[in-house]
Amino acid sequence: MRAATLLIALTTLAPLAAGAQDAARAVRVQGTPPTIDGVLDDDAWRYAPPVKDFLQRNPVEGAAPSESTEVRFVYSDRDLYVAFRGYDREPGRVYGRLVRRDQRTAADYFTLFIDSFHDRRTAFEFSINPSGARRDVFIYDDGGGRDDSWDPVYDWATRTDSLGWTVELRIPFSQLRFSGTESVVFGVRIRRSINRRNEEQNWPFFPRDQAGEVSRYGELVGLSDVPTPRRMELLPYTAGSAAFSPAVLGDPFATGEEASVRMGGDLKLGVGSGLTLDLTANPDFGQVEADPAVVNLSAFETFFPEKRPFFIEGTNLFQFGMTPPERNEFGGGRGDEEGLVYTRRIGRAPQTDADDGGGYAEDLRQTTILGAAKLTGQAGKGWALGLAQALTARETVRIVDSLGADGRAPVEPLTSYTAIRAQRTLRRGRLTYGAMLAGVVRDLNDPAFDELHTRAFSGGVDVHGRFGGDRFVYDVALLGSRVEGPVDALIRTQRRSARYFQRPDQTHARLDSSRTALDGFAAYAHLAKAVGFATWNLFYGTRSPGFDINDLGFLRQTDLHVQAVEAELRWLTPGSVFREFEWRVEERAEFTYGGERTRTTLETRLSGDFLNYWNLNLNVERAFPALATRLLRGGPALREPGAWEWRLGGRTDFRRPVSINGGVTREWEDGTGAGQWRANAGVRLRPPGSVSLSLDGRATWETNDRQYITQETVGDSTYYVFGRLERRELSVTLRADLALSPKLSFEFYAQPFASVGRYAPLKLAADPKAQRYADRFDGLDVDRATRPGGDADVSLDVDRDGRTDFTFDEPDFRLASLRTSAVLRWEFRPGSTLFLVWQQDRRDETTLATGSPFGAIGDGFSAEGTNVFAMKIAYWLGL
């Protein structure tokens, strides 16, 4: 047997000896597979040819590594085995740190990247440090995106010895996606990190100044006669929770106590050789961290990132944004937010209010997801396919009307959400094109739902590529949308902050009160030189006034043309002061479809990494006077003054047990005395052991001379009320992680938050486009504005006739909140997890805007709130 094995090994070595470039070879196990214990004494490893031609990417690009590295691959019908040997002449300085799964930390690392489809666009990352802590990540868009919610089931072990340190891996082929053939080829990349030297070794080597990542991997060959793995995983769960909150006197639905028990599960099933079907029924997300507290005084919706595992993992195909995926600084810097699919629309809180007849209604925080499914993967010849479908229930809530009669009121219709994506990659990953369709269909079987769209469809085609020796990149996309529904729903759509068709001073888009459908389009084009000392970017984007994707997507603004030009000089070779240095200049302009200039800015940025791994950056931006078409919330455009902004930020060496980051921003307007100070600071503590702490603070001191409050129509006149807002805001975020073992961890999160705002004085919009700033407003003195304070309404007598023309709520505010969560996570067997969770949400809000945010922070600790205790057990079954 041993002689036959040796003959096979010599045969497999021959092609490598003949000069095969950037190719690693796997050898089939003959006899007993390796034991995963971190000791590389198994017979199987002796005949596997090592990969050892590593080169540095950091700190000296292209240099020989300071320590030798060897990696070997063997395989069986079911598993891929990997052995890593990191030689080190000072083994006592090999540094590992125990952290929870997927947490980043400064340590020595062995990282394996596998492009199992060999599509040169997607890959799986397995990162292990000497303490056994691991990160596993799904990579997409040729390295442009990463998803650490991907949690495969595999075995690993590490060991430190007199030669350095080792890792052994057993990765079931069922956790990878590929088409079984007589000869399988994977894309592969290997990386070793030596923390004390900030050294990164890579095989194969490719310079940092290159476009693309996965398309530059080497190959893992020698995988022959590997049967297509059976891929079926079942993850049922059982969860229970108890919530305690303050009771509300007289409200029969706010008794202060609530308990529930839930069951559900996920199923992952291989469909053919390249597609995977994910199904979920009654999903539970009780262990998901709460969103941070915010005070949103703008006209636009706040974006919160998706945190629910089912909607994160494997959804890269459905990320069709409004700007290029890899250069998202244009388009307002929101390339990772605005797009055709925003999965937090699925299962959100009901969109309509219950008609409680003047009584009480049950509070429903989210709609029920009856089921959801995703079909994703490769369909051959470079095609990637994705289909996502979710169904949410028709929701009603219990009510008690003013006479004490019980009943139920509808708040959300039965709704279907669908997204379909097809994408093809050619020219070894240098060209990708595709198309996407998204749709929402609602069953509006009740007049209560007349404010919602019956159907909403959107879609687009996109092309992304590289040319000119991979020095240049381009991105082009064309999108379209259509929404349909009752007249009331379309009137609301036209009046929303994304478009404001009711604006009285525009003619290019007008509100149509008889409309039952709305169509629109959007597009962008981007061309860039991405490699070299001097780089540049050109961008143009457009969104027609009728474009609307917010039923399933996320969009802040339409009626927009945007143009941007950027140039950058980069010094990437270490010098006497800096390791890297960059200087960037950008010009940007925005216009409406009516030719109104809404933004013109010039910005320059300096950024440098010092030899001691500290970083410092400085931004200076000039915004020129422009028209604010949304400031009056559907009223006429208002001419805004120019402004200056500078930002200074930096960080210390992130590898150290204590690292600090911080920044300060200063804004000021021309001639108004308005402006803003923003400061942030953070500290990361990694003391010896397995505890990690981080503390981040943010403070804002703002004076806004044109903060919109309300508008009211009296007779033939519409009055727009503003205030000069003095706002002080403070938040602190604490995170603590304790890793008791690679499979047992405790996480704690706390965010005290306070915001205090005082409006004084009040004023009306008078001549919004007047040349002199003072002529644009009409001040409201005490003879026209009465503010009793507290919870009493503000009264305005705009024409001084002694009678109140209209009232509105006192706008001053003082908000204090405290959100905390604690999660114990135990992976008691591979893929099976126990969660113990405590979540707390305290909140105190008043119109008495007194004191400082420092004092208000303390109010959050004593405020009444909700406490939730939960337990969840998920049991993994792999078939």
Side-chain angles (χ1 to χ4, degrees):
M1 173 68 73
R2 178 156 301 195
T5 304
L6 181 59
L7 179 61
I8 292 173
L10 291 174
T11 302
T12 58
L13 278 168
L16 293 180
Q21 186 176 9
D22 290 344
R25 181 168 291 274
V27 175
R28 179 176 283 277
V29 171
Q30 303 295 319
T32 304
T35 301
I36 306 303
D37 57 7
V39 181
L40 307 184
D41 59 354
D42 302 275
D43 202 47
W45 299 126
R46 297 177 57 192
Y47 307 108
V51 177
K52 53 185 179 181
D53 298 326
F54 288 78
L55 291 175
Q56 288 189 36
R57 293 187 85 202
N58 276 312
V60 183
E61 189 172 77
S66 64
E67 305 288 352
S68 299
T69 303
E70 294 183 357
V71 178
R72 290 173 166 83
F73 299 89
V74 299
Y75 69 98
S76 66
D77 281 351
R78 294 172 57 95
D79 304 297
L80 176 67
Y81 296 86
V82 185
F84 159 81
R85 160 62 75 181
Y87 290 98
D88 200 306
R89 286 164 291 181
E90 299 178 273
R93 300 187 67 185
V94 170
Y95 181 63
R97 184 173 185 82
L98 194 58
V99 293
R100 62 178 170 85
R101 186 174 189 173
D102 293 332
Q103 184 181 13
R104 297 177 181 271
T105 190
D108 289 13
Y109 267 99
F110 160 65
T111 306
L112 174 68
F113 303 85
I114 298 177
D115 173 11
S116 57
F117 268 129
H118 209 201
D119 61 1
R120 298 181 174 86
R121 295 286 298 176
T122 60
F124 303 104
E125 173 186 335
F126 301 85
S127 291
I128 312 289
N129 78 26
S131 294
R134 56 176 170 158
R135 288 188 68 236
D136 21 66
V137 180
F138 177 64
I139 300 171
Y140 55 91
D141 282 345
D142 197 8
R146 280 170 160 75
D147 171 15
D148 60 11
S149 69
W150 177 67
D151 287 334
V153 179
Y154 59 99
D155 293 331
W156 78 103
T158 66
R159 190 174 294 262
T160 302
D161 56 25
S162 61
L163 298 178
W165 69 290
T166 63
V167 177
E168 277 187 307
L169 286 172
R170 182 188 70 85
I171 305 173
F173 284 125
S174 62
Q175 300 300 296
L176 306 174
R177 301 184 185 185
F178 64 94
S179 301
T181 61
E182 291 185 3
S183 180
V184 178
V185 177
F186 290 169
V188 67
R189 175 190 175 195
I190 306 167
R191 183 177 70 200
R192 178 187 178 184
S193 302
I194 303 176
N195 181 68
R196 68 182 184 272
R197 298 192 180 105
N198 197 39
E199 180 176 328
E200 179 189 318
Q201 307 175 11
N202 274 264
W203 180 95
F205 170 78
F206 51 90
R208 286 174 292 158
D209 187 20
Q210 292 290 333
E213 177 190 329
V214 182
S215 56
R216 300 184 179 278
Y217 287 4
E219 294 184 339
L220 179 63
V221 300
L223 300 169
S224 60
D225 299 320
V226 178
T228 301
R230 294 177 58 191
R231 292 182 292 121
M232 179 180 292
E233 301 175 26
L234 181 62
L235 191 68
Y237 82 84
T238 300
S241 65
F244 303 93
S245 57
V248 178
L249 184 64
D251 187 342
F253 306 112
T255 61
E257 297 182 7
E258 182 180 352
S260 65
V261 176
R262 303 172 301 281
M263 298 182 66
D266 300 335
L267 174 65
K268 190 184 295 288
L269 181 66
V271 179
S273 60
L275 297 172
T276 299
L277 177 64
D278 291 274
L279 301 171
T280 186
N282 193 27
D284 175 78
F285 307 113
Q287 76 279 11
V288 174
E289 184 180 284
D291 295 317
V294 296
V295 172
N296 185 355
L297 299 177
S298 74
F300 304 106
E301 175 185 7
T302 300
F303 178 89
F304 291 110
E306 180 62 88
K307 299 179 181 180
R308 299 171 296 178
F310 179 84
F311 292 109
I312 297 176
E313 182 183 341
T315 57
N316 59 289
L317 273 173
F318 305 105
Q319 294 183 7
F320 198 117
M322 301 301 300
T323 57
E326 297 179 11
R327 300 290 294 182
N328 60 23
E329 61 267 37
F330 293 127
R334 305 194 181 278
D336 58 342
E337 296 182 2
E338 294 183 306
L340 295 184
V341 174
Y342 177 45
T343 52
R344 290 196 61 147
R345 304 290 187 209
I346 303 171
R348 61 182 160 184
Q351 299 174 76
T352 64
D353 296 325
D355 182 2
D356 57 17
Y360 298 95
E362 181 183 12
D363 183 23
L364 189 64
R365 295 183 178 88
Q366 61 187 30
T367 54
T368 302
I369 301 174
L370 298 175
K374 296 179 297 187
L375 181 66
T376 57
Q378 302 286 327
K381 295 184 179 180
W383 281 102
L385 299 178
L387 169 63
Q389 173 68 43
L391 185 68
T392 58
R394 183 182 190 274
E395 298 283 6
T396 61
V397 297
R398 294 173 296 164
I399 63 170
V400 175
D401 65 20
S402 59
L403 300 177
D406 296 336
R408 300 196 70 90
V411 290
E412 185 75 12
L414 180 71
T415 307
S416 170
Y417 301 87
T418 306
I420 304 171
R421 178 71 151 132
Q423 194 174 62
R424 192 180 188 191
T425 300
L426 300 171
R427 298 181 58 228
R428 299 180 63 85
R430 291 176 173 83
L431 173 64
T432 301
Y433 63 87
M436 184 171 182
L437 295 173
V440 176
V441 178
R442 297 184 177 92
D443 182 14
L444 304 187
N445 57 1
D446 193 291
F449 303 140
D450 282 352
E451 295 180 350
L452 304 178
H453 296 145
T454 308
R455 290 178 293 273
F457 302 104
S458 60
V461 294
D462 60 343
V463 181
H464 311 280
R466 305 198 300 265
F467 67 97
D470 290 345
R471 293 178 300 148
F472 301 93
V473 299
Y474 62 89
D475 308 274
V476 180
L478 177 64
L479 304 89
S481 69
R482 179 178 177 85
V483 295
E484 304 172 359
V487 169
D488 287 351
L490 268 296
I491 290 176
R492 284 171 56 88
T493 300
Q494 295 173 81
R495 296 180 64 90
R496 283 178 181 148
S497 59
R499 50 193 59 81
Y500 286 139
F501 280 7
Q502 70 271 31
R503 272 184 54 206
D505 60 338
Q506 69 177 2
T507 58
H508 62 279
R510 303 300 298 169
L511 191 148
D512 182 350
S513 59
S514 63
R515 186 189 293 272
T516 58
L518 183 65
D519 302 287
F521 69 89
Y524 67 75
H526 168 238
L527 176 65
K529 181 178 181 290
V531 176
F533 168 68
T535 63
W536 47 261
N537 284 274
L538 305 175
F539 177 82
Y540 168 73
T542 185
R543 305 172 189 179
S544 75
F547 187 65
D548 186 21
I549 59 174
N550 276 322
D551 286 84
L552 182 53
F554 188 88
L555 181 72
R556 285 187 173 86
Q557 183 176 350
T558 64
D559 190 11
L560 176 68
H561 295 288
V562 55
Q563 163 272 319
V565 177
E566 175 195 281
E568 185 175 50
L569 301 179
R570 306 183 300 171
W571 290 263
L572 301 179
T573 302
S576 58
V577 178
F578 294 102
R579 291 189 177 276
E580 294 183 6
F581 189 83
E582 299 177 355
W583 176 33
R584 176 169 62 87
V585 178
E586 179 187 345
E587 172 273 336
R588 177 186 175 88
E590 296 181 4
F591 297 85
T592 69
Y593 270 55
E596 300 157 302
R597 182 168 58 85
T598 57
R599 179 179 179 181
T600 303
T601 58
L602 291 176
E603 179 184 358
T604 186
R605 181 177 191 269
L606 300 173
S607 177
D609 290 335
F610 294 92
L611 293 178
N612 63 355
Y613 300 102
W614 289 36
N615 170 272
L616 190 66
N617 58 80
L618 172 67
N619 287 59
V620 179
E621 179 180 306
R622 171 60 176 171
F624 296 92
L627 289 176
T629 57
R630 287 166 168 77
L631 186 64
L632 272 64
R633 314 285 172 96
L638 186 144
R639 188 185 303 274
E640 291 197 307
W644 286 93
E645 176 182 321
W646 62 262
R647 301 185 296 274
L648 180 67
R651 60 165 175 78
T652 63
D653 186 352
F654 61 90
R655 302 171 302 157
R656 302 300 181 187
V658 179
S659 61
I660 300 172
N661 65 82
V664 61
T665 300
R666 172 64 171 138
E667 301 176 20
W668 65 95
E669 285 186 343
D670 299 341
T672 69
Q676 185 178 104
W677 282 96
R678 295 194 305 271
N680 65 278
V683 59
R684 305 290 185 272
L685 302 177
R686 292 182 289 267
S690 56
V691 177
S692 298
L693 299 171
S694 69
L695 185 67
D696 294 278
R698 296 181 181 274
T700 300
W701 263 243
E702 176 191 17
T703 300
N704 185 341
D705 197 54
R706 298 174 305 283
Q707 179 59 55
Y708 174 89
I709 297 176
T710 189
Q711 60 181 276
E712 191 76 29
T713 299
V714 180
D716 296 330
S717 301
T718 300
Y719 298 95
Y720 303 92
V721 184
F722 291 87
R724 185 178 175 92
L725 171 65
E726 301 287 342
R727 181 168 66 102
R728 308 291 183 259
E729 193 166 280
L730 181 66
S731 69
V732 180
T733 302
L734 170 67
R735 296 179 186 273
D737 291 280
L738 172 62
L740 302 173
S741 77
K743 297 183 179 182
L744 178 63
S745 63
F746 175 78
E747 306 161 45
F748 178 78
Y749 164 88
Q751 190 208 40
F753 172 87
S755 186
V756 180
R758 173 72 176 172
Y759 291 82
L762 303 182
K763 53 189 173 182
L764 300 174
D767 185 359
K769 297 178 183 177
Q771 284 298 118
R772 291 181 66 250
Y773 181 80
D775 294 339
R776 300 168 200 170
F777 304 99
D778 178 13
L780 291 170
D781 297 325
V782 293
D783 61 330
R784 294 199 291 168
T786 302
R787 299 180 67 180
D791 294 330
D793 289 346
V794 179
S795 301
L796 293 189
D797 174 14
V798 294
D799 54 7
R800 296 186 177 90
D801 63 356
R803 293 179 298 180
T804 297
D805 292 302
F806 59 93
T807 64
F808 54 88
D809 294 338
E810 170 59 56
D812 288 355
F813 61 88
R814 176 185 171 96
L815 170 65
S817 78
L818 174 65
R819 294 185 175 183
T820 59
S821 66
V823 179
L824 180 70
R825 185 183 189 274
W826 176 33
E827 188 176 348
F828 57 89
R829 65 183 302 272
S832 301
T833 311
L834 167 68
F835 294 95
L836 296 177
V837 182
W838 168 59
Q839 293 178 333
Q840 178 184 230
D841 186 2
R842 296 178 179 271
R843 183 183 180 94
D844 179 59
E845 188 170 7
T846 178
T847 58
L848 297 174
T850 58
S852 72
F854 295 98
I857 280 279
D859 295 342
F861 289 85
S862 59
E864 293 184 327
T866 300
N867 283 274
V868 178
F869 300 90
M871 181 178 73
K872 176 181 176 180
I873 299 177
Y875 195 88
W876 183 83
L877 299 170
L879 306 176

